């Protein structure tokens, strides 16, 4: 498989940053839902359970973006 060009890697990094921002927004939304007394207890618990998942995804996207900006393919070092 052909290695992406530097331009393509920069574009991919930008996309990963957008994904990280979206995941961070999802975490904030889940935090709000987890603390919303108008929602059922089950819904609040489910929302609370998604917060660390969304935050982890955001961090993973940021790490991928960092690797791409450094000229590495995410995961190729592993």
């Amino acid at each position: 498989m052909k290695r992406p060009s530097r331009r393509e890697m920069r574009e991919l990094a930008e996309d990963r940053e957008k994904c990280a921002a979206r995941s961070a927004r999802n975490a904030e939304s889940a935090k709000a839902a987890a603390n919303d007394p108008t929602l059922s207890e089950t819904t609040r618990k489910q929302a609370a359970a998604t917060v660390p998942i969304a935050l982890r995804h955001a961090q993973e996207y940021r790490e991928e973006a960092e690797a791409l900006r450094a000229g590495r393919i995410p995961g190729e070092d592993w």
Side-chain angles (χ1 to χ4, degrees):
M1 183 160 110
K2 172 176 123 35
R3 186 172 181 81
S5 69
R6 291 293 289 172
R7 182 183 59 75
E8 291 169 324
M9 291 176 88
R10 281 192 307 273
E11 290 172 358
L12 288 169
E14 289 174 22
D15 179 67
R16 295 308 185 273
E17 289 293 351
K18 289 177 186 176
C19 292
R22 184 183 63 232
S23 290
R25 285 191 309 272
N26 290 343
E28 289 304 313
S29 177
K31 284 180 190 177
N35 293 310
D36 186 341
T38 66
L39 298 175
S40 71
E41 182 179 348
T42 299
T43 299
R44 290 193 314 267
K45 285 180 180 180
Q46 289 172 333
T50 66
V51 172
I53 297 167
L55 291 173
R56 185 176 66 244
H57 287 169
Q59 181 59 36
E60 290 169 355
Y61 283 127
R62 285 187 205 99
E63 290 170 1
E64 288 181 9
E66 183 180 330
L68 288 161
R69 284 191 296 274
R72 298 186 327 269
I73 303 296
E76 75 178 356
D77 299 336
W78 306 356

Coordinates of all heavy atoms in Angstrom, one line a residue:
M1 N 0.8 -1.2 0.0 CA 0.0 0.0 0.0 C 0.9 1.2 0.0 O 1.9 1.3 0.7 CB -0.9 0.0 1.2 CG -1.9 1.1 1.3 SD -3.2 0.7 2.4 CE -2.9 1.9 3.7
K2 N 0.5 2.2 -0.8 CA 1.3 3.5 -0.9 C 1.1 4.3 0.3 O 0.1 4.5 0.9 CB 0.7 4.2 -2.1 CG 1.2 5.6 -2.4 CD 0.7 6.1 -3.6 CE 0.0 7.4 -3.6 NZ 0.0 8.5 -3.0
R3 N 2.3 4.8 0.8 CA 2.3 5.7 1.9 C 1.7 7.1 1.5 O 1.9 7.6 0.5 CB 3.7 5.9 2.4 CG 3.9 6.7 3.6 CD 5.4 6.6 4.1 NE 5.6 7.3 5.3 CZ 5.3 6.8 6.5 NH1 4.9 5.6 6.6 NH2 5.5 7.6 7.6
P4 N 0.9 7.7 2.4 CA 0.3 9.0 2.1 C 1.3 10.0 2.0 O 2.4 10.0 2.7 CB -0.7 9.2 3.3 CG -0.7 8.0 4.2 CD 0.4 7.1 3.7
S5 N 1.0 11.1 1.2 CA 2.0 12.2 1.1 C 1.9 13.0 2.3 O 1.0 12.9 3.2 CB 1.6 13.0 -0.1 OG 0.3 13.7 0.1
R6 N 2.8 14.0 2.5 CA 2.8 14.9 3.7 C 1.5 15.7 3.7 O 1.0 15.9 4.7 CB 4.0 15.8 3.6 CG 5.4 15.1 3.9 CD 5.5 14.6 5.2 NE 5.7 15.6 6.2 CZ 5.7 15.5 7.5 NH1 5.6 14.2 8.0 NH2 5.9 16.5 8.3
R7 N 1.1 16.1 2.5 CA -0.1 16.9 2.4 C -1.3 16.1 2.9 O -2.1 16.5 3.7 CB -0.4 17.4 1.0 CG -1.6 18.3 0.8 CD -1.9 18.7 -0.6 NE -2.0 17.6 -1.5 CZ -3.1 16.8 -1.6 NH1 -4.2 17.0 -0.8 NH2 -3.2 15.8 -2.5
E8 N -1.4 14.8 2.4 CA -2.5 13.9 2.8 C -2.4 13.7 4.3 O -3.5 13.6 5.0 CB -2.4 12.6 2.1 CG -2.7 12.8 0.6 CD -2.4 11.5 -0.2 OE1 -1.4 10.8 0.1 OE2 -3.2 11.2 -1.1
M9 N -1.2 13.6 4.9 CA -1.1 13.3 6.3 C -1.5 14.6 7.1 O -2.2 14.4 8.1 CB 0.4 12.9 6.6 CG 0.7 11.5 6.1 SD 2.4 11.1 6.4 CE 2.3 10.3 8.0
R10 N -1.2 15.8 6.6 CA -1.7 17.0 7.3 C -3.2 17.0 7.2 O -3.9 17.4 8.2 CB -1.1 18.2 6.6 CG 0.3 18.5 7.0 CD 0.8 19.9 6.6 NE 0.6 20.1 5.1 CZ 1.4 19.8 4.2 NH1 2.6 19.3 4.5 NH2 1.2 20.1 2.9
E11 N -3.8 16.7 6.1 CA -5.3 16.7 6.0 C -5.9 15.6 6.9 O -6.9 15.9 7.6 CB -5.7 16.4 4.5 CG -5.4 17.5 3.6 CD -5.6 17.1 2.1 OE1 -6.0 16.0 1.8 OE2 -5.4 18.0 1.3
L12 N -5.3 14.5 7.0 CA -5.7 13.5 8.0 C -5.6 14.0 9.4 O -6.5 13.7 10.2 CB -5.0 12.2 7.8 CG -5.3 11.4 6.5 CD1 -4.3 10.2 6.3 CD2 -6.7 10.8 6.6
A13 N -4.5 14.7 9.7 CA -4.3 15.2 11.1 C -5.4 16.2 11.4 O -6.0 16.2 12.5 CB -3.0 15.8 11.2
E14 N -5.8 17.1 10.4 CA -6.8 18.0 10.6 C -8.2 17.3 10.9 O -8.9 17.7 11.8 CB -7.0 19.0 9.4 CG -5.9 19.9 9.3 CD -6.0 20.7 8.0 OE1 -7.1 20.8 7.4 OE2 -4.9 21.3 7.5
D15 N -8.4 16.3 10.1 CA -9.6 15.5 10.3 C -9.7 14.9 11.7 O -10.7 14.9 12.4 CB -9.7 14.4 9.3 CG -11.0 13.5 9.4 OD1 -12.1 14.1 9.3 OD2 -10.8 12.3 9.8
R16 N -8.5 14.3 12.2 CA -8.5 13.7 13.5 C -8.7 14.8 14.6 O -9.3 14.5 15.6 CB -7.1 13.0 13.7 CG -6.8 11.8 12.9 CD -8.0 10.8 12.9 NE -7.7 9.6 12.2 CZ -7.9 9.4 10.9 NH1 -8.4 10.4 10.1 NH2 -7.6 8.3 10.3
E17 N -8.2 16.0 14.4 CA -8.5 17.1 15.4 C -10.0 17.4 15.4 O -10.5 17.6 16.5 CB -7.7 18.3 15.0 CG -6.2 18.2 15.2 CD -5.8 18.0 16.7 OE1 -6.6 18.2 17.6 OE2 -4.6 17.7 17.0
K18 N -10.6 17.4 14.3 CA -12.1 17.6 14.2 C -12.8 16.5 15.0 O -13.8 16.7 15.7 CB -12.6 17.7 12.8 CG -12.2 19.0 12.1 CD -12.6 18.9 10.6 CE -12.1 20.1 9.9 NZ -12.4 20.1 8.5
C19 N -12.3 15.3 14.8 CA -12.9 14.1 15.5 C -12.7 14.2 17.0 O -13.6 13.9 17.8 CB -12.3 12.8 15.0 SG -12.8 12.4 13.3
A20 N -11.5 14.7 17.4 CA -11.2 14.9 18.8 C -12.2 15.9 19.4 O -12.7 15.7 20.5 CB -9.8 15.3 19.0
A21 N -12.4 17.0 18.7 CA -13.3 18.1 19.2 C -14.7 17.5 19.3 O -15.4 17.8 20.3 CB -13.2 19.3 18.2
R22 N -15.1 16.7 18.3 CA -16.5 16.2 18.4 C -16.6 15.2 19.6 O -17.6 15.3 20.3 CB -16.8 15.4 17.1 CG -18.2 14.9 17.0 CD -18.5 14.1 15.8 NE -17.6 12.9 15.8 CZ -16.9 12.6 14.7 NH1 -16.9 13.3 13.6 NH2 -16.1 11.5 14.8
S23 N -15.6 14.4 19.8 CA -15.7 13.5 21.0 C -15.7 14.3 22.3 O -16.4 13.9 23.2 CB -14.5 12.5 20.9 OG -14.6 11.6 19.9
A24 N -14.9 15.4 22.3 CA -14.9 16.2 23.5 C -16.3 16.8 23.8 O -16.8 16.9 24.9 CB -13.8 17.3 23.4
R25 N -16.9 17.3 22.7 CA -18.3 17.8 22.8 C -19.3 16.7 23.3 O -20.1 17.0 24.1 CB -18.8 18.4 21.5 CG -18.1 19.7 21.1 CD -18.8 20.4 19.9 NE -19.0 19.5 18.8 CZ -18.1 19.4 17.8 NH1 -16.9 20.0 17.9 NH2 -18.3 18.6 16.8
N26 N -19.1 15.5 22.7 CA -19.9 14.4 23.2 C -19.8 14.1 24.7 O -20.7 13.9 25.4 CB -19.6 13.2 22.4 CG -20.1 13.3 20.9 OD1 -20.9 14.1 20.6 ND2 -19.5 12.4 20.1
A27 N -18.5 14.2 25.1 CA -18.3 14.0 26.6 C -19.0 15.1 27.4 O -19.6 14.8 28.4 CB -16.8 14.0 26.9
E28 N -18.9 16.3 27.0 CA -19.6 17.4 27.7 C -21.1 17.2 27.7 O -21.8 17.5 28.7 CB -19.2 18.8 27.1 CG -17.8 19.2 27.4 CD -17.4 19.2 28.8 OE1 -18.2 19.8 29.6 OE2 -16.4 18.6 29.2
S29 N -21.6 16.8 26.5 CA -23.1 16.6 26.4 C -23.5 15.4 27.4 O -24.5 15.5 28.1 CB -23.4 16.2 25.0 OG -24.8 15.9 24.9
A30 N -22.7 14.4 27.4 CA -23.0 13.3 28.3 C -22.9 13.7 29.8 O -23.7 13.3 30.6 CB -22.0 12.1 28.0
K31 N -21.9 14.5 30.1 CA -21.8 15.1 31.5 C -23.1 15.8 31.9 O -23.6 15.7 33.0 CB -20.6 16.0 31.6 CG -19.3 15.3 31.7 CD -18.1 16.3 31.9 CE -16.8 15.7 31.7 NZ -15.7 16.7 31.8
A32 N -23.5 16.6 30.9 CA -24.7 17.4 31.2 C -25.9 16.5 31.4 O -26.7 16.7 32.3 CB -25.0 18.4 30.1
A33 N -26.0 15.5 30.5 CA -27.1 14.5 30.7 C -27.0 13.7 32.0 O -28.1 13.5 32.6 CB -27.2 13.6 29.5
A34 N -25.8 13.4 32.4 CA -25.7 12.6 33.6 C -26.1 13.4 34.8 O -26.5 12.9 35.9 CB -24.2 12.2 33.8
N35 N -26.1 14.8 34.7 CA -26.4 15.6 35.8 C -27.8 16.3 35.7 O -28.2 17.1 36.5 CB -25.4 16.7 36.0 CG -24.1 16.1 36.5 OD1 -24.0 15.4 37.4 ND2 -23.0 16.5 35.8
D36 N -28.6 15.8 34.7 CA -29.9 16.4 34.4 C -30.9 15.7 35.2 O -31.3 14.5 35.0 CB -30.2 16.3 32.9 CG -31.5 16.9 32.5 OD1 -32.3 17.2 33.4 OD2 -31.6 17.2 31.3
P37 N -31.5 16.3 36.2 CA -32.5 15.7 37.1 C -33.8 15.4 36.4 O -34.6 14.6 36.9 CB -32.7 16.7 38.2 CG -32.3 18.0 37.7 CD -31.3 17.7 36.6
T38 N -34.0 15.9 35.2 CA -35.3 15.6 34.5 C -35.2 14.3 33.8 O -36.2 13.8 33.3 CB -35.6 16.7 33.5 OG1 -34.6 16.7 32.5 CG2 -35.7 18.1 34.2
L39 N -34.0 13.7 33.7 CA -33.8 12.4 33.0 C -33.9 11.3 34.0 O -33.7 11.5 35.2 CB -32.5 12.4 32.3 CG -32.2 13.4 31.2 CD1 -30.8 13.3 30.7 CD2 -33.3 13.2 30.1
S40 N -34.2 10.1 33.5 CA -34.4 9.0 34.4 C -33.0 8.6 35.0 O -32.0 8.9 34.4 CB -35.0 7.8 33.7 OG -34.0 7.2 32.8
E41 N -33.0 7.9 36.1 CA -31.8 7.4 36.7 C -31.0 6.6 35.7 O -29.8 6.7 35.6 CB -32.1 6.7 38.0 CG -30.8 6.2 38.7 CD -31.1 5.4 40.0 OE1 -32.3 5.5 40.5 OE2 -30.2 4.8 40.5
T42 N -31.7 5.7 35.0 CA -31.0 4.8 34.1 C -30.3 5.6 33.0 O -29.1 5.4 32.6 CB -32.0 3.8 33.4 OG1 -32.5 3.0 34.5 CG2 -31.3 2.9 32.4
T43 N -31.0 6.6 32.5 CA -30.4 7.4 31.4 C -29.2 8.2 31.9 O -28.2 8.3 31.3 CB -31.5 8.4 30.9 OG1 -32.6 7.6 30.3 CG2 -30.9 9.3 29.8
R44 N -29.3 8.7 33.1 CA -28.2 9.5 33.7 C -27.0 8.6 33.9 O -25.9 9.0 33.7 CB -28.6 10.1 35.1 CG -29.6 11.3 34.9 CD -29.8 12.1 36.1 NE -30.0 11.4 37.3 CZ -31.2 11.0 37.9 NH1 -32.3 11.4 37.2 NH2 -31.2 10.4 39.0
K45 N -27.2 7.3 34.4 CA -26.1 6.4 34.6 C -25.5 6.0 33.2 O -24.3 5.9 33.1 CB -26.6 5.1 35.3 CG -26.9 5.3 36.7 CD -27.4 4.0 37.4 CE -27.6 4.2 38.9 NZ -28.1 2.9 39.5
Q46 N -26.3 5.8 32.2 CA -25.8 5.5 30.9 C -25.0 6.7 30.4 O -23.9 6.5 29.8 CB -26.9 5.2 29.9 CG -27.5 3.8 30.2 CD -28.8 3.6 29.4 OE1 -29.5 4.5 29.0 NE2 -29.1 2.3 29.2
A47 N -25.5 7.9 30.6 CA -24.7 9.1 30.1 C -23.4 9.2 30.8 O -22.3 9.4 30.2 CB -25.6 10.3 30.3
A48 N -23.4 9.0 32.1 CA -22.2 9.0 32.9 C -21.2 8.0 32.5 O -20.0 8.2 32.4 CB -22.5 8.9 34.4
A49 N -21.7 6.8 32.1 CA -20.8 5.8 31.6 C -20.1 6.1 30.3 O -19.0 5.6 30.0 CB -21.5 4.4 31.5
T50 N -20.7 6.9 29.5 CA -20.1 7.3 28.2 C -19.1 8.4 28.3 O -18.3 8.5 27.4 CB -21.2 7.7 27.2 OG1 -21.8 8.9 27.6 CG2 -22.3 6.7 27.0
V51 N -19.0 9.1 29.4 CA -18.1 10.2 29.5 C -16.6 9.8 29.3 O -15.9 10.3 28.5 CB -18.3 11.0 30.8 CG1 -17.2 12.0 31.0 CG2 -19.7 11.7 30.8
P52 N -16.2 8.8 30.1 CA -14.8 8.4 29.9 C -14.5 7.8 28.6 O -13.4 7.9 28.1 CB -14.5 7.4 31.1 CG -15.9 7.0 31.5 CD -16.8 8.1 31.2
I53 N -15.5 7.2 28.0 CA -15.2 6.6 26.6 C -15.0 7.7 25.6 O -14.1 7.7 24.8 CB -16.4 5.7 26.2 CG1 -16.6 4.5 27.2 CG2 -16.3 5.3 24.8 CD1 -17.9 3.8 27.1
A54 N -15.9 8.7 25.7 CA -15.7 9.9 24.7 C -14.4 10.6 25.0 O -13.8 11.0 24.0 CB -16.9 10.8 24.9
L55 N -14.0 10.8 26.2 CA -12.8 11.5 26.5 C -11.6 10.7 26.0 O -10.6 11.2 25.5 CB -12.7 11.7 28.0 CG -13.6 12.8 28.6 CD1 -13.5 12.8 30.1 CD2 -13.4 14.1 28.0
R56 N -11.7 9.3 26.2 CA -10.6 8.5 25.7 C -10.5 8.6 24.1 O -9.4 8.6 23.6 CB -10.8 7.0 26.1 CG -9.6 6.1 25.7 CD -9.8 4.7 26.2 NE -10.9 4.0 25.6 CZ -12.0 3.6 26.2 NH1 -12.1 3.8 27.5 NH2 -13.0 3.0 25.6
H57 N -11.6 8.6 23.5 CA -11.6 8.7 22.0 C -11.0 10.0 21.6 O -10.2 10.1 20.7 CB -13.0 8.6 21.5 CG -13.6 7.2 21.5 ND1 -14.9 6.9 21.2 CD2 -13.0 6.0 21.7 CE1 -15.1 5.6 21.3 NE2 -14.0 5.1 21.6
A58 N -11.4 11.1 22.3 CA -10.8 12.4 22.0 C -9.3 12.4 22.1 O -8.5 12.9 21.2 CB -11.4 13.5 22.9
Q59 N -8.8 11.8 23.2 CA -7.3 11.7 23.4 C -6.7 10.8 22.3 O -5.6 11.2 21.8 CB -7.0 11.1 24.8 CG -5.5 10.9 25.0 CD -4.8 12.3 25.0 OE1 -5.4 13.3 25.4 NE2 -3.6 12.3 24.5
E60 N -7.3 9.7 21.9 CA -6.8 8.9 20.9 C -6.7 9.6 19.5 O -5.7 9.5 18.8 CB -7.6 7.6 20.7 CG -7.4 6.6 21.9 CD -8.4 5.5 21.9 OE1 -9.4 5.5 21.1 OE2 -8.3 4.6 22.8
Y61 N -7.7 10.4 19.2 CA -7.7 11.2 18.0 C -6.6 12.2 18.0 O -5.9 12.4 17.0 CB -9.1 11.9 17.8 CG -10.2 11.0 17.3 CD1 -11.4 10.9 17.9 CD2 -10.0 10.2 16.1 CE1 -12.4 10.1 17.5 CE2 -11.0 9.4 15.6 CZ -12.2 9.4 16.3 OH -13.3 8.6 15.8
R62 N -6.4 12.9 19.2 CA -5.3 13.8 19.3 C -4.0 13.2 19.1 O -3.1 13.7 18.4 CB -5.4 14.5 20.6 CG -6.5 15.5 20.7 CD -6.4 16.3 22.0 NE -7.7 16.8 22.4 CZ -8.5 16.3 23.3 NH1 -8.1 15.2 24.0 NH2 -9.7 16.8 23.5
E63 N -3.8 12.0 19.6 CA -2.5 11.3 19.5 C -2.3 10.9 18.0 O -1.2 11.0 17.5 CB -2.5 10.0 20.4 CG -2.4 10.3 21.8 CD -2.6 9.2 22.8 OE1 -2.9 8.0 22.3 OE2 -2.6 9.4 24.0
E64 N -3.4 10.5 17.3 CA -3.2 10.1 15.9 C -2.8 11.4 15.1 O -2.0 11.3 14.2 CB -4.5 9.6 15.4 CG -4.8 8.2 15.9 CD -6.1 7.6 15.3 OE1 -6.7 8.2 14.4 OE2 -6.5 6.5 15.8
A65 N -3.5 12.5 15.4 CA -3.2 13.8 14.7 C -1.7 14.1 15.0 O -1.0 14.5 14.0 CB -4.1 14.9 15.2
E66 N -1.2 14.0 16.2 CA 0.2 14.3 16.5 C 1.1 13.4 15.7 O 2.1 13.9 15.1 CB 0.4 14.1 18.0 CG 1.8 14.5 18.4 CD 2.0 14.3 19.9 OE1 1.0 14.4 20.7 OE2 3.1 13.9 20.3
A67 N 0.8 12.1 15.6 CA 1.7 11.2 14.9 C 1.7 11.6 13.4 O 2.7 11.6 12.7 CB 1.2 9.8 15.0
L68 N 0.5 11.9 12.8 CA 0.4 12.3 11.4 C 1.2 13.5 11.1 O 1.9 13.6 10.1 CB -1.0 12.4 11.0 CG -1.8 11.1 10.9 CD1 -3.3 11.4 11.0 CD2 -1.4 10.4 9.6
R69 N 1.1 14.5 12.0 CA 1.9 15.8 11.8 C 3.4 15.5 11.9 O 4.2 16.2 11.3 CB 1.5 16.8 12.9 CG 0.1 17.5 12.5 CD -0.1 18.7 13.4 NE -0.2 18.3 14.8 CZ -1.3 18.0 15.4 NH1 -2.5 17.9 14.8 NH2 -1.3 17.7 16.7
A70 N 3.8 14.5 12.7 CA 5.2 14.1 12.8 C 5.7 13.2 11.7 O 6.8 12.8 11.6 CB 5.4 13.4 14.1
G71 N 4.8 12.9 10.7 CA 5.1 12.1 9.6 C 5.0 10.6 9.8 O 5.6 9.8 9.0
R72 N 4.4 10.2 10.9 CA 4.2 8.8 11.2 C 2.8 8.4 10.9 O 1.9 9.2 11.1 CB 4.6 8.5 12.7 CG 6.0 8.8 13.0 CD 6.3 8.4 14.4 NE 5.2 8.5 15.4 CZ 5.0 9.5 16.2 NH1 5.7 10.6 16.1 NH2 4.0 9.5 17.1
I73 N 2.6 7.1 10.6 CA 1.3 6.5 10.4 C 0.9 6.1 11.8 O 1.7 5.3 12.5 CB 1.3 5.4 9.5 CG1 1.8 5.8 8.1 CG2 -0.1 4.7 9.4 CD1 1.0 6.8 7.4
P74 N -0.3 6.5 12.4 CA -0.7 6.1 13.7 C -0.7 4.5 13.8 O -1.2 3.8 12.9 CB -2.1 6.6 13.8 CG -2.1 7.8 12.9 CD -1.3 7.4 11.8
G75 N 0.0 4.1 14.8 CA 0.1 2.6 15.1 C 1.2 1.9 14.4 O 1.5 0.8 14.8
E76 N 1.9 2.6 13.5 CA 3.0 1.9 12.8 C 4.2 1.6 13.8 O 5.0 0.7 13.5 CB 3.5 2.6 11.6 CG 4.3 3.9 11.8 CD 4.8 4.5 10.6 OE1 4.5 4.0 9.5 OE2 5.4 5.6 10.7
D77 N 4.3 2.3 14.9 CA 5.4 2.2 15.8 C 5.2 1.0 16.7 O 6.1 0.6 17.5 CB 5.6 3.4 16.6 CG 5.9 4.6 15.8 OD1 6.5 4.5 14.7 OD2 5.7 5.7 16.3
W78 N 4.0 0.4 16.7 CA 3.6 -0.6 17.7 C 4.0 -2.0 17.2 O 4.2 -2.6 16.5 CB 2.2 -0.6 18.0 CG 1.8 0.8 18.5 CD1 2.6 1.9 18.7 CD2 0.5 1.3 18.8 NE1 1.9 3.0 19.1 CE2 0.6 2.6 19.2 CE3 -0.7 0.7 18.8 CZ2 -0.5 3.4 19.6 CZ3 -1.8 1.4 19.2 CH2 -1.7 2.8 19.6

